[in-house]
Every structure is written in C-alpha cells, then in structure tokens.
Amino acid sequence: MQVEDGSLPVIRALEDINFHLRRGDRLGLLGHNGSGKSTLLRVLAGVYAPTIGSIKVNGTLSSMLSISTGINYDATGKENIYLLGVIAGCSRKQIDSVFDEICEFSELGEYIYLPLKVYSSGMVMRLAFSVATSIHRDILLMDEWLSVGDKEFSEKAGNRLSKMLDDAKIFVLASHNETLIRKNCNMILHLDGGKITLLENC
C-alpha cells in the first residue's frame, strides 16, 4: 500500500506481472488470501483494465469467476438462460442452439418456466452452472473448482468441467488447493503481495 501526494492510499493489487501462455497450457494460480489470484483472473477476463502494460488475448474466452452474476430472481428460468447467455457474450441464435441442452442438464423440468424466486439455492446454482458450461470458448478462466448441487449432480458437473478443461486450448485456475492445481495444471504461478514469486512447470 502506498500513499501518493499525501492523499488517499493506493493499493497495488498486482505489480510486475508478466507471462505468456500457449495452446495446451494449464496454468494454476497459488497464493494465500490477498495474494492477487482473483484480481489477476479478473484482469485476464477484462473485468479490470491494467493501469500499466497490456494484455493480448487470441481466441474466445469464458470466465467462470462468479457464475451467478446477472441472475434476475423475478424472471423465469428460461428468461435467465437468455439473460446469462447475453451477459456471456452470446447471440440469441447461439443461446437457442444450446437451450434444450441447458434445460436437460439442469434437470429442472417444468421449473424452467417459473420465476427463480421459487427456486431453492441449489436449483439456482444448477441453472447458472448449466448455462455457464454450455458456452464453449478457447480460453477458460476459473476461480476455484466449482461444486454444485447434490452428490449425483455434483459428480455430473465435475465430469462436465473436466471435459471443458480437456476441450479448452488454455485453462487458468486459481485455488488454495495445491493438490487440485498439480492434478489439473502443467504450470504453477505462485503469487504473494500481488507479485510473482515463482513460475514452475509441473
């Protein structure tokens, strides 16, 4: 943290970050709370613009940082599918093409035509997860490995996430779980205080 011009404090969440990813790379971000993992993911996703330097992204990008962002609880499940799809950058035609798949995977049945305010929290997450994982992109960003629903649905969701990882050209995962990172990634970027302390291959 710095105080510039004797006024408000300025927090540099990230500093001197520099790396390059190629097709086939699976990058894990490791570090304690406040180390900059989530901030780096948000910069990569375009949520935050870098104040210094630049980011170059070649290919389409899917960000699974908060899959429930943009949900409208007064709207129906069907309406939310289109709302979340548009927020993710899809056209109505693209959403139309995966609408039936989303409904089937979510296992919500006729609830898809009811407002989300009558859903349980688990049902809401199943809908949001089904939409988020039906949109295929070249680059996949994930903040922690998602686990949703009951045991049966969670297993199905895990299989779907694994397939998404296999299909993605580049994958970036931030997690506190080093075992999970080493299982799914071939590179690990260690962060501390917003700076890279180590970039290792694994």
Side-chain angles (χ1 to χ4, degrees), residues 18 32 47-48 63 65 72 96 110 117 120 136 143 147 154 159-160 179 181 183 186:
N18 185 22
H32 56 73
V47 176
Y48 302 148
S63 169
L65 308 184
N72 182 341
D96 284 341
E110 293 301 311
K117 60 188 176 185
S120 68
H136 303 290
D143 197 353
S147 179
S154 183
N159 291 336
R160 189 164 191 173
T179 301
I181 290 282
K183 177 183 176 182
N186 61 4

Side-chain angles (χ1 to χ4, degrees), residues 46 81 90 94 151 166:
I81 288 173
C90 297
Q94 288 175 309
K151 182 178 179 181
D166 290 341

Side-chain angles (χ1 to χ4, degrees), residues 105 129 133 145-146 151-167:
F105 190 86
F129 178 88
T133 56
W145 191 265
L146 295 174
K151 182 178 179 181
E152 184 176 338
F153 189 85
S154 183
E155 183 176 339
K156 184 171 78 165
N159 291 336
R160 189 164 191 173
L161 281 177
S162 296
K163 186 178 186 309
M164 284 186 71
L165 192 158
D166 290 341
D167 292 342

Side-chain angles (χ1 to χ4, degrees), residues 36-77:
K37 302 187 304 296
S38 295
T39 301
L40 178 54
L41 280 180
R42 282 162 174 73
V43 171
L44 294 175
V47 176
Y48 302 148
T51 54
I52 298 174
S54 62
I55 296 173
K56 185 176 181 181
V57 177
N58 292 321
T60 56
L61 188 147
S62 177
S63 169
M64 297 182 67
L65 308 184
S66 178
I67 62 173
S68 59
T69 298
I71 280 180
N72 182 341
Y73 283 83
D74 289 322
T76 66

Side-chain angles (χ1 to χ4, degrees), residues 1-2 4 9-15 34 39 51-52 193-195:
M1 179 183 295
Q2 292 179 296
E4 298 182 355
V10 176
I11 299 174
R12 300 193 184 281
L14 298 171
E15 192 171 356
T39 301
T51 54
I52 298 174
K195 295 183 178 181

Side-chain angles (χ1 to χ4, degrees), residues 21-26 57-63 135-141 163-172:
L21 298 177
R22 297 175 176 83
R23 181 170 184 155
D25 282 340
R26 271 80 178 109
V57 177
N58 292 321
T60 56
L61 188 147
S62 177
S63 169
I135 301 164
H136 303 290
R137 295 288 188 264
D138 298 326
I139 302 166
L140 177 61
L141 308 178
K163 186 178 186 309
M164 284 186 71
L165 192 158
D166 290 341
D167 292 342
K169 295 177 181 176
I170 292 174
F171 174 62
V172 182

Side-chain angles (χ1 to χ4, degrees), residues 72-82 111-116 119 127:
N72 182 341
Y73 283 83
D74 289 322
T76 66
K78 179 179 179 179
E79 290 166 338
N80 272 283
I81 288 173
Y82 283 90
Y111 276 93
I112 209 75
Y113 302 105
L114 296 178
L116 264 64
Y119 284 29
L127 179 67

Side-chain angles (χ1 to χ4, degrees), residues 7 54 77 87 107 118 139 147 193 199:
S7 57
S54 62
I87 291 172
E107 301 176 356
V118 304
I139 302 166
S147 179
L199 179 59

